[in-house]
Amino acid sequence: MGVTATNICGSDLHMYEGRTDFEEGRVFGHENVGEVIEVGAGIDKVAVGDMVSVPFNVSCGHCRNCEHGLTSYCLAANVEGMAGGAYGFADMGGWIGGQAEYLRVPWGDFQCLRLPEDAREKQNDYVMLSDIFPTGWHAVEMSGLKAGESIVIYGAGPVGLMAALSASVKGALKVMVVDRHPDRLRLAEQVGAIAIDDSKGDPVEQVMEHTKGVGADRGAECVGYQAHDPQGNEDNAATLNKLVSSVRFTGGIGTVGVFIPEDPGAPDELAQQGKARFDFGNFWFKGQQMGNGQAPVKRYNRHLRDLIAAEKVTPSWIVSHNLPLAEAPKAYEHFDAREDGWTKVVLNPA
């Protein structure tokens, strides 16, 4: 596949900052769109010239998990004893990423989602189908949101913003988004969400004010293990515990922020072991439920593609920069620093 658009993802930053065991010499890039330029002998459905979206999950389509729709935990895409593969991602099978001119796509007929004739025109929308739009949708889905309910989303990065968009499409009565970066909170407001700035007061108290003291019906964790408070102190359980306090009794939480089994760069010994000081007592007492894990992109991407094609959603509203591949190093610097206005970067190798 000739890569025409590939995103810099927030989860790339864990590797960029050296907080994983991503090996030197591999290529980042798991959010990819491109044109098929060559096919192998076993390919029947995908043809040269097709514009396709490739899920970040590398999956075979035939193993036990894939046959049950759990493509994020494919048993054939990683080393023995590990489930789940991904392009350009630590511990996810060693696959080369797509922040490059070309990308090899295994199991191409199963992996590739063919795009409509407007694929190039709406490339900034369709490139979101490989990860963040389905991941945001998955967070809301796992929370159990029903039309007419409220939801609080912690994190207004690209995934959190996609969760806000997804909740709105799913008929949420009230969507609250917690963050502290003004540019991100402004984007959340553009899709009708209530922006909650946790640098200006306890976010749990603010959620309670918006829900008459009851708490949100549902919650979504879109931050992950490098969560920080407004003062810069890192706590991998911070957003999880705030969600437990922000969501009502018997409510549901969807967790898609990245958490890992080991984190040698963490600030304390417990977190270095991939463990967290989770408020399980309060979670149990409130009778809440939590879904977690990587999104099985193929479960959602066809439906979300059709929403884009029908102009029901425009996920590209978060894109701040389209840059050539050569400018990727500088783009990483700006995005990693959370500089104002650097909300989502799309690289265009072609």
Side-chain angles (χ1 to χ4, degrees), residues 68-89:
H68 284 84
L70 301 172
T71 54
S72 44
Y73 295 96
C74 175
L75 298 171
N78 210 329
V79 297
E80 185 176 353
M82 294 278 284
Y87 299 98
F89 211 91

Side-chain angles (χ1 to χ4, degrees), residues 63 88 137 324 347 349:
C63 71
W137 191 276
L347 302 173

Side-chain angles (χ1 to χ4, degrees), residues 10-336:
S11 56
D12 286 329
L13 299 182
H14 300 303
M15 298 175 291
Y16 177 77
E17 294 174 3
R19 292 291 291 271
T20 67
D21 59 355
F22 194 85
E23 61 270 27
E24 186 175 347
R26 277 183 66 201
V27 178
F28 287 170
H30 57 271
E31 301 186 27
N32 305 304
V33 158
E35 180 179 347
V36 177
I37 59 171
E38 186 178 347
V39 297
I43 300 299
D44 299 316
K45 182 178 70 174
V46 179
V48 171
D50 286 347
M51 287 292 292
V52 296
S53 169
V54 180
F56 80 89
N57 318 120
V58 179
S59 53
C60 71
H62 302 294
C63 71
R64 179 177 181 175
N65 283 348
C66 284
E67 287 185 349
H68 284 84
L70 301 172
T71 54
S72 44
Y73 295 96
C74 175
L75 298 171
N78 210 329
V79 297
E80 185 176 353
M82 294 278 284
Y87 299 98
F89 211 91
D91 296 321
M92 297 299 287
W95 302 96
I96 297 298
Q99 289 175 12
E101 294 178 292
Y102 302 100
L103 177 68
R104 176 178 174 267
V105 180
W107 301 297
D109 274 347
F110 180 70
Q111 287 273 283
C112 292
L113 176 71
R114 288 179 292 181
L115 299 175
E117 292 182 0
D118 62 0
R120 292 186 183 275
E121 175 189 346
K122 295 181 180 178
Q123 187 166 249
N124 277 1
D125 293 306
Y126 290 121
V127 75
M128 306 303 170
L129 290 172
S130 54
D131 179 5
I132 60 169
F133 195 7
T135 295
W137 191 276
H138 189 53
V140 177
E141 188 82 2
M142 289 193 298
S143 78
L145 180 79
K146 298 179 178 65
E149 291 186 327
S150 60
I151 185 170
V152 58
I153 298 161
Y154 275 78
V159 170
L161 292 170
M162 290 296 148
L165 175 63
S166 300
S168 177
V169 171
K170 285 173 169 285
L173 178 67
K174 181 178 292 187
V175 180
M176 296 160 279
V177 178
V178 179
D179 205 290
R180 65 194 65 124
H181 297 281
D183 54 344
R184 295 179 172 185
L185 290 172
R186 286 194 297 269
L187 287 172
E189 290 177 326
Q190 288 179 21
V191 288
I194 298 168
I196 294 179
D197 187 339
D198 69 349
S199 70
K200 296 182 179 179
D202 184 352
V204 176
E205 292 180 1
Q206 294 183 65
V207 171
M208 290 300 168
E209 289 174 4
H210 286 291
T211 58
K212 299 181 180 179
V214 175
D217 295 304
R218 311 290 167 181
E221 204 286 347
C222 300
V223 179
Y225 70 102
Q226 286 186 254
H228 290 73
D229 65 18
Q231 289 73 45
N233 302 305
E234 185 174 324
D235 178 0
N236 63 352
T239 52
L240 290 171
N241 291 336
K242 286 185 173 67
L243 274 163
V244 170
S245 297
S246 299
V247 172
R248 64 169 171 82
F249 280 75
T250 72
I253 299 169
T255 299
V256 294
V258 173
F259 289 85
I260 57 176
E262 294 181 4
D263 178 17
D268 64 79
E269 185 176 351
L270 192 69
Q272 289 169 10
Q273 300 171 23
K275 300 175 182 177
R277 294 177 175 84
F278 178 57
D279 188 6
F280 188 78
N282 199 23
F283 175 72
W284 184 93
F285 183 71
K286 296 179 78 171
Q288 295 171 341
Q289 297 183 1
M290 181 184 294
N292 69 91
Q294 293 185 344
V297 170
K298 284 185 65 67
R299 185 182 299 176
Y300 310 117
N301 65 353
R302 187 178 299 272
H303 171 63
L304 300 182
R305 175 201 63 186
D306 293 345
L307 289 178
I308 293 171
E311 299 185 346
K312 297 294 184 182
V313 293
T314 309
S316 61
W317 106 96
I318 70 168
V319 175
S320 57
H321 295 78
N322 278 91
L323 299 172
L325 188 62
E327 295 186 28
K330 285 292 183 182
Y332 265 96
E333 290 180 18
H334 293 297
F335 190 51
D336 186 49

